[in-house]
Amino acid sequence: MSRPAPPVPEGTLTDVRANVVELPNLRLVLAPARGKKLEIPLGVSPVVLGSDPECDVLVDDPRVSRKHCEIRRDGRAVIIRDLGSKNGTYVEKVAIREAFLEPKATVTIGGARLTLEAARGSSRLELSRGVHFGQALGASVAMRALFANLERAAQTDETIVLLGESGTGKELLARGIHDVSRRAAGPFIVFDCAAIAPTLLEAELFGYVRGAFTGAVQPHAGVFEQAHGGTLFIDELGELPAELQPKLLRALEARQVRRIGATDWMHVDVRIVAATHRDLRARVLAKQFREDLYYRLAVVEALIPPLRDRRDDIPLLVEHFLRGMSPPRTWADLPPNASELLRAHDWPGNVRELRNMVARLLLFPTSVPAGAPPSSARPTALEGSAQSAAVLALPLREAREVMVEQFERAYIAAKLNEHGGNVSRAAEAMHVSRQFLHRLLERYGIARS
């Protein structure tokens, strides 16, 4: 007997009772100012065009911005959105910020011409029966298609690479893969390449013996050993230094590791799930990531859509966050215009930013003027003991993240202002890498100016 389909969540547009959707076959035809025409299939994932090698479609044109525009499906419609390009995006010679794209309509970016064409037939896209995978939630077609792929891949021991922006829930999905796999009873170990000093990465990955270097007073097991019999989640894989990439490749191929200072190799039984916000294929072409390591890792690639491309999931996520408050809250506890504000925001920090924003709107409901973006919610009305009481009403994790985000936003803005908007000088003054500061700017949607 098949299990009953879950109810349709309030506020979503996707009928979760459908396990398969028929997608008309569409393609984008790009005629650049120079070079050959390109045909790009338009699937569930958005297509970003620009002059940056990390874009889905590289347009070699000095008049095209690094990330110029994005084209995506929205149900049966197709939407084109300008990404803040310098020279603009034009549909039938009309400058647009966001517009529906009809077949045969001409799009102009720089000197390139782009058209949408309908091909014969359609594609069947299998969807998950549920609206969650582990603790990750989503009722949109894109997320349920992702869940269906991960449900199948989790039953194998193949390596999986999760690709997505910061805050899209890559660690939640990795944990979900582990929990439904045959390794669920084993350990789940997280290793974040961006959170560990480069000089310590090798020691944390592979471990060390006593006396291997100054300060190694006790032997230490690396994360490969710790994850034996379970899953090792390598986060921000794209930040792994070049000198460590061949060592990681050997560990993946031979399933053997050797501690620093040791002579013997140890066998490890580990399933690898990796994640990055970088475009690994572009980094391979730029000689910044080993090609053999990329192909060894990318047995299964899963692209996680950003929140701005699945806005119909926002009510579902908000209700989930509200139920998790202590005590549980409802939409009635948010400002009256909260739904419109949340749907209109672009969410550079994705689901993480949404979760923190819900907590902030609960804390400071009167500080958001009508028509203002939700990021304008600030602790202007509540101070001292009132603010403390509001924070104490949240679970520890949410309260900590609200206060940390509040501090980081103010601190980063002050440092950028101090150094005239120069990211490199501000990062140096903050004693962090320029790349790390860029990630924080993207997460919080802070402009350099």
Side-chain angles (χ1 to χ4, degrees), residues 253-276:
E253 290 184 333
R255 287 298 193 265
Q256 289 182 330
V257 295
R258 183 170 62 187
R259 293 185 182 185
I260 298 175
T263 57
D264 297 330
W265 292 88
M266 289 180 286
H267 171 73
V268 288
D269 174 24
V270 175
R271 197 264 181 82
I272 304 294
V273 178
T276 180

Side-chain angles (χ1 to χ4, degrees), residues 387-435:
Q387 179 178 341
S388 299
V391 172
L392 289 173
L394 299 174
L396 174 62
R397 181 176 179 180
E398 281 79 3
R400 181 196 293 123
E401 291 194 358
V402 166
M403 301 309 293
V404 168
E405 179 182 336
Q406 181 180 320
F407 163 76
E408 285 187 345
R409 282 177 179 272
Y411 178 82
I412 292 168
K415 284 296 183 183
L416 282 173
N417 184 59
E418 180 182 330
H419 294 280
N422 188 295
V423 174
S424 296
R425 290 205 299 265
E428 183 178 356
M430 295 164 64
H431 298 282
V432 299
S433 70
R434 182 169 52 87
Q435 293 82 0

Side-chain angles (χ1 to χ4, degrees), residues 175-188:
R175 181 75 203 210
I177 292 168
H178 172 76
D179 288 343
V180 300
S181 74
R182 66 179 182 84
R183 296 174 175 269
F188 177 77

Side-chain angles (χ1 to χ4, degrees), residues 374-388:
S375 56
S376 65
R378 291 290 185 270
T380 54
L382 295 175
E383 296 180 355
S385 59
Q387 179 178 341
S388 299

Side-chain angles (χ1 to χ4, degrees), residues 357-378:
M357 189 60 61
V358 170
R360 283 164 56 194
L361 290 175
L362 288 172
L363 289 174
F364 315 113
T366 61
S367 64
V368 188
S375 56
S376 65
R378 291 290 185 270

Side-chain angles (χ1 to χ4, degrees), residues 20-23 25 122-126:
V20 177
V21 294
E22 295 282 344
L23 293 178
N25 288 334
S122 61
S123 302
R124 288 172 59 85
L125 185 66
E126 183 180 343

Side-chain angles (χ1 to χ4, degrees), residues 112-125:
R113 300 290 185 271
L114 183 74
T115 55
L116 175 68
E117 294 186 355
R120 289 184 177 181
S122 61
S123 302
R124 288 172 59 85
L125 185 66

